[in-house]
Amino acid sequence: MVTNDKDSENKLRKTEEIKEGANLNENVDYDELLSAAGEFGPYQVILFFSTFPFYIFGVFSYFSQLFMTEVSPNHWCWIPELENLTDIERRTLAIPLDVDARFGYSQCKSYIANWSEILETGQTPNATWSTQACQYGWEFNSSEIPYPTISSELGWVCDKNSYQATAQSIFFTGSIVGGIVVGWVADRFGRLPAATLSNMIGCVAGILSIFAQNFIQFSLCRFIMGMSYDNCMMMTYLLVLEYVAPRYRSIITNLPFAIFYTLGATALPWIALACGHWKTISLATSIPMAITILAPFVMPESPRWLISKGRFNDAVDKVLTIARVNKKEIPSKLIEQFKKSSLNAKKEESTSILVLLKRPKLRKMFICICLEFMCCLAIFDALIRSIGGLGFDFFLSFTLVSFTELPSLVIVSFAIDITGRKGMTIIAFIICFIFCLATAFISNGLPSVLCAVVSRFAINMCANIGMQWAAEMLPTPVRGSGSSIVHIFSYIGIVISPYIVYLDNYITWLPLVVVAVIALIGLLLALALPETAGIDMPQTFDEAEELLSNQKLIDIPFLRKKENNSRNENISVRDN
């Protein structure tokens, strides 16, 4: 394995030599064939933009439930006999004061009284009156969440205030099941069938959700919706990753998140407001997923996947298409050498992930990347769910925090090959740790939102580096299923994260302190992983082990390049 620039030079040189008739006995791998077809040209640009809807659907699948279940924290018992009064008058008359409550009055109890008599006599509330739990539901401050959600309709507050967290955890439990199923489909039938399947599952689940009449029904629908996340976008992510040369890998795989994912995330709050009802939100964010049924007809299957299945002629056809669109010509001798090399290559004994786990070095690496990505996503999700408690406009806060995807991922796209995956991840975890602590202890309102923005900025970088990092470390035969298992571990973190945020009901600052500790754990795990910047993705298990054998604790790509240049200069001096 070699660094990007020198590797590309070698591949181009070999291509020219074969074109001239030399090196007819040398092995030719897929990367060399791709180099001849154009490592990054019009074809890759078209493929880049074709992934746009998948990232939007990924946003819809993940975040739509937040806007369907969010409830105003400012609520009180509904008293039907007082419906002709204003909301302030109703609250003042019927709701007992509570100095320990967040808003200074009880949110779960009301006075017991003959309200018709109270209205006739003009009596004022008396602290000696008896109280009872809300009997007729609640009314909510509509200035915070100005439309009905399923939580407000079914009264998921007070003794049911954990239902939102539980429903979200069930969503990600579905993601675990979906990750296993869709990951298997991806490695058995291809990336595109897996992407289409996961999006169609999301489409059906979103439509079914509007018929939910209770918590059990809603949770079942969200479990099914969870099966679509996040393979509804990750399969096309892997597809693009396998279509570009190493030197362009970071840009082509991070920019879609920076542009498409950010666009979807910043637009979703205002789509929810425009819909004006949780059922409309569910339909508006799920029905469009059905368009992905056309994906196999307009997008290509992964050549690397085809090669891993022994379909060499199909892989060559895909590369020839790349060359035609990129206006390149692949020498016929190069194609013949590639076919011979592929047929003669050492065949992997199995494509099961169990083969990876039987190898101690690969097992350690796999466990570390799973746990590291789990930390990333647990923090990511907890920060999102903490927005409602920051004392600022919910929809604007979500937009501001989501917009951090763009600058953070632009930085990742263009700097990750300079600083390396490991170096940038460690720096980002440190920033996240500091600002999570600051958010926990700073005053509510704009200051806490700004700290949350910085924390989210940092964890965005960690999460997206982690996705690329995992795919780059795993060998081709298990890249799809292995990436899915990595994501399954992340779902375990996200299943727990709603309950981390729920700790706010006991100690206000505790959730973000827990999140900060998780950031420290993620930092330590990142130290144990190999640097993959400038390295070809391993196509076999042996190549993956070679990657681990050559790792260093500190490996910064731009310093590595300087060392190589210095070494080459010394060799040149000695030769002279």
Side-chain angles (χ1 to χ4, degrees), residues 352-385:
S352 169
I353 195 69
L354 294 177
V355 176
L356 182 144
L357 295 176
K358 289 177 182 177
R359 302 189 177 206
K361 289 183 179 180
L362 297 184
R363 182 171 63 243
K364 176 187 173 184
M365 175 202 74
F366 190 61
I367 291 172
C368 285
I369 190 62
C370 286
L371 295 177
E372 191 265 347
F373 199 54
M374 182 175 73
C375 291
C376 289
L377 271 291
I379 296 169
F380 182 92
D381 191 71
L383 288 174
I384 292 170
R385 302 195 186 286

Side-chain angles (χ1 to χ4, degrees), residues 108-119:
C108 302
K109 292 183 179 181
S110 66
Y111 287 121
I112 300 174
N114 184 334
W115 295 112
S116 299
E117 181 182 334
I118 295 295
L119 291 174

Side-chain angles (χ1 to χ4, degrees), residues 200-352:
M200 292 307 298
I201 290 173
C203 176
V204 172
I207 295 171
L208 290 176
S209 294
I210 69 170
F211 299 104
Q213 299 295 317
N214 53 53
F215 175 72
I216 299 297
Q217 294 175 1
F218 183 76
S219 296
L220 178 60
C221 292
R222 302 320 292 178
F223 176 89
I224 299 172
M225 173 61 85
M227 291 179 67
S228 74
Y229 185 80
D230 60 358
N231 285 299
C232 57
M233 63 179 178
M234 284 309 301
M235 285 301 121
T236 54
Y237 172 90
L238 289 173
L239 185 71
V240 175
L241 190 67
E242 296 177 347
Y243 257 100
V244 295
R247 68 162 75 185
Y248 301 108
R249 215 158 55 202
S250 298
I251 295 175
I252 202 70
T253 54
N254 284 295
L255 279 184
F257 280 96
I259 299 173
F260 306 147
Y261 194 86
T262 301
L263 179 63
T266 54
L268 183 58
W270 314 107
I271 293 173
L273 280 173
C275 289
H277 197 284
W278 72 269
K279 291 184 178 181
T280 310
I281 295 171
S282 185
L283 292 175
T285 55
S286 59
I287 291 178
M289 290 183 173
I291 196 175
T292 59
I293 200 169
L294 301 175
F297 301 101
V298 297
M299 295 181 72
E301 186 53 85
S302 163
R304 289 186 186 272
W305 176 82
L306 292 171
I307 293 169
S308 73
K309 294 300 178 183
R311 295 167 57 180
F312 306 120
N313 290 329
D314 290 338
V316 168
D317 289 340
K318 300 298 181 186
V319 177
L320 288 173
T321 301
I322 298 173
R324 185 172 64 253
V325 175
N326 287 344
K327 294 182 170 50
K328 299 280 186 178
E329 183 179 348
I330 303 178
S332 58
K333 293 177 182 177
L334 186 68
I335 294 174
E336 291 303 317
Q337 280 298 103
F338 167 74
K339 289 181 179 180
K340 289 180 181 178
S341 300
S342 299
L343 288 170
N344 295 331
K346 179 184 175 182
K347 195 173 177 100
E348 290 290 331
E349 62 270 22
S350 173
T351 56
S352 169

Side-chain angles (χ1 to χ4, degrees), residues 478-551:
V478 293
R479 187 165 294 133
S481 60
S483 295
S484 292
I485 292 173
V486 170
H487 283 80
I488 288 168
F489 269 82
S490 75
Y491 302 147
I492 295 173
I494 303 177
V495 166
I496 298 170
S497 68
Y499 295 106
I500 294 175
V501 177
Y502 187 70
L503 294 173
D504 176 73
N505 289 280
Y506 303 100
I507 303 175
T508 307
W509 50 262
L510 185 56
L512 287 166
V513 171
V514 172
V515 169
V517 172
I518 295 174
L520 279 181
I521 296 171
L523 186 156
L524 296 174
L525 289 166
L527 287 171
L529 294 171
E531 181 57 66
T532 58
I535 306 294
D536 281 337
M537 288 190 294
Q539 296 201 46
T540 66
F541 292 104
D542 289 338
E543 288 183 4
E545 285 195 334
E546 182 187 346
L547 172 65
L548 288 169
S549 298
N550 295 331
Q551 74 164 317

Side-chain angles (χ1 to χ4, degrees), residues 18-35:
I18 291 177
K19 190 173 183 178
E20 294 169 1
N23 294 324
L24 292 179
N25 295 321
E26 286 199 22
N27 289 331
V28 175
D29 63 18
Y30 169 74
D31 287 318
E32 289 159 347
L33 201 63
L34 179 63
S35 178

Side-chain angles (χ1 to χ4, degrees), residues 22-75:
N23 294 324
L24 292 179
N25 295 321
E26 286 199 22
N27 289 331
V28 175
D29 63 18
Y30 169 74
D31 287 318
E32 289 159 347
L33 201 63
L34 179 63
S35 178
E39 294 178 330
F40 186 79
Y43 188 91
Q44 283 86 355
V45 173
I46 293 170
L47 187 61
F48 170 87
F49 283 103
S50 70
T51 61
F52 170 73
F54 293 92
Y55 287 91
I56 299 298
F57 299 153
V59 170
F60 287 173
S61 177
Y62 186 179
F63 295 122
S64 62
Q65 184 166 324
L66 188 63
F67 295 94
M68 293 163 60
T69 61
E70 187 67 22
V71 65
S72 169
N74 190 2
H75 55 81

